Amino acid sequence: MAELELSNVSKRYGGLLVVPDISLSVGDGEFVALVGPSGCGKSTTLRMIAGLEEISGGTISINGRVVNDLEPDERGIAMVFQSYALYPHMSVAKNMSFALRVAGRPREEIDSRVNEAARILGLTEFLNRRPAALSGGQRQRVAMGRAIVRRPDVFLFDEPLSNLDAKLRVQMRTEIKRIHQNVGATTIYVTHDQIEAMTLADRVVVMNNGRIEQVGTPAEVYASPATSFVAEFIGMPPMNLVGADVEGDALVLDGGTRLPLPETLRTLPASHDKVLLGLRPEDIAPAGHGLDMAAPWSLDVPVSISEPLGAETLLFFELAGKEWTARMLSPRPVAPGERLSFNFDLSKLHVFDAADGARIN
Ligand SMILES: Nc1ncnc2c1ncn2[C@@H]1O[C@H](COP(=O)(O)OP(=O)(O)OP(=O)(O)O)[C@@H](O)[C@H]1O
Ligand SMILES: [Mg+2]
């Protein structure tokens, strides 16, 4: 069990600064997900924590001990990669016990740790099989078992589920959550999949271009994204975002549509006359087909596309030069071109500075 602290950590490859300055505190037993688009520096950050990548500046400490100059195997961490990297000629049990055997642990201790991990992971009946005779999900569990038997202070995962098909990913996601609840180890989990991050983590770290955009609980980053980048990245389908001007008591969308400025936004600083407005799809619904709204504003528009998903239907329409998404509960068939009266819950508006994307409400 362990606390992990990154203070002003940076990474430079030659002249390229890929991680300028990251600070992050992870509590004992906490599950933190690093999420962001491809190339934003997630793996680099994880590899610096693991000691697989030298850091260019700052400090990394585990349990208050600076580990900057420690070798990976001296840091008390275990890493699970996207490619499971199992030894094909070894049984599941041998794969799982490899690190302990190399470390010269006594036979009884190795057996008991492997059996315990196999029990947690539901691998007991596969201990004598080779990896080739396992499914993708079972191989992924063996890779996790290899980490668990080492009883590391910190677990590091780098996209561990991305080689699995969609259904198995969802199963393994639940599995990882259950294992974390049982084992309770401090965990840093890298993924580009915001749903994986949101469902698994106690706190989500949203990265963009080597920087942290926001750190918060899944509920916080969803309800109150700190930047327009986070607003668009977290949530599926993504938040509707449109440029607007603040003019007295009105918000004027690009193209001229005027919305009343909600009470809650009356205090917007005058310096923010040009803004980006955000509204999630669930905060726009055809009249009679959504949840109760605190501050509805209505607009009649033709629907361009409807996507029935079973429990709900996504409806797309054009407004202010953008395609918007709305969510209809209690679905009914909607033909393309059909005009519907949409209610917009303006009490749920997210407002960002148009210049730098920072949240201002
Ligand atoms: N050895 C290297 N030399 C130079 N640049 C590198 C090196 N390794 C990574 N980079 C660059 O650093 C940036 C961050 O890479 P990183 O692998 O951390 O991204 P990531 O967030 O894990 O992306 P993905 O989701 O695609 O795995 C990228 O722009 C990448 O091209
Ligand atoms: Mg990566």
Side-chain angles (χ1 to χ4, degrees), residues 209-270:
N209 274 326
R211 291 184 168 78
I212 293 179
E213 294 260 336
Q214 186 170 10
V215 181
T217 64
E220 283 164 357
V221 295
Y222 189 81
S224 195
T227 63
S228 56
F229 175 85
V230 176
E232 222 169 3
F233 192 81
I234 300 287
M236 203 63 199
M239 186 186 285
N240 300 292
L241 278 174
V242 64
D245 290 305
V246 184
E247 285 181 12
D249 278 356
L251 292 162
V252 184
L253 305 189
D254 294 350
T257 305
R258 297 175 81 85
L259 308 180
L261 189 66
E263 200 66 50
T264 49
L265 299 182
R266 292 282 154 85
T267 53
L268 277 188

Side-chain angles (χ1 to χ4, degrees), residues 151-268:
R151 304 218 174 127
D153 291 329
V154 181
F155 279 96
L156 304 177
F157 289 92
D158 194 352
E159 310 248 10
L161 305 184
S162 44
N163 281 342
L164 306 177
D165 67 45
K167 198 165 173 188
L168 199 50
R169 281 183 82 133
V170 174
Q171 279 174 15
M172 286 302 295
R173 195 171 80 197
T174 315
E175 197 89 332
I176 289 179
K177 187 153 193 166
R178 197 173 52 78
I179 292 165
H180 180 254
Q181 281 166 6
N182 288 340
V183 178
T186 309
T187 302
I188 315 284
Y189 187 100
V190 161
T191 177
H192 63 267
D193 179 342
Q194 55 98 18
I195 296 180
E196 226 167 83
M198 296 282 281
T199 50
L200 281 170
D202 298 315
R203 280 190 306 152
V204 174
V205 177
V206 184
M207 292 183 65
N208 180 27
N209 274 326
R211 291 184 168 78
I212 293 179
E213 294 260 336
Q214 186 170 10
V215 181
T217 64
E220 283 164 357
V221 295
Y222 189 81
S224 195
T227 63
S228 56
F229 175 85
V230 176
E232 222 169 3
F233 192 81
I234 300 287
M236 203 63 199
M239 186 186 285
N240 300 292
L241 278 174
V242 64
D245 290 305
V246 184
E247 285 181 12
D249 278 356
L251 292 162
V252 184
L253 305 189
D254 294 350
T257 305
R258 297 175 81 85
L259 308 180
L261 189 66
E263 200 66 50
T264 49
L265 299 182
R266 292 282 154 85
T267 53
L268 277 188

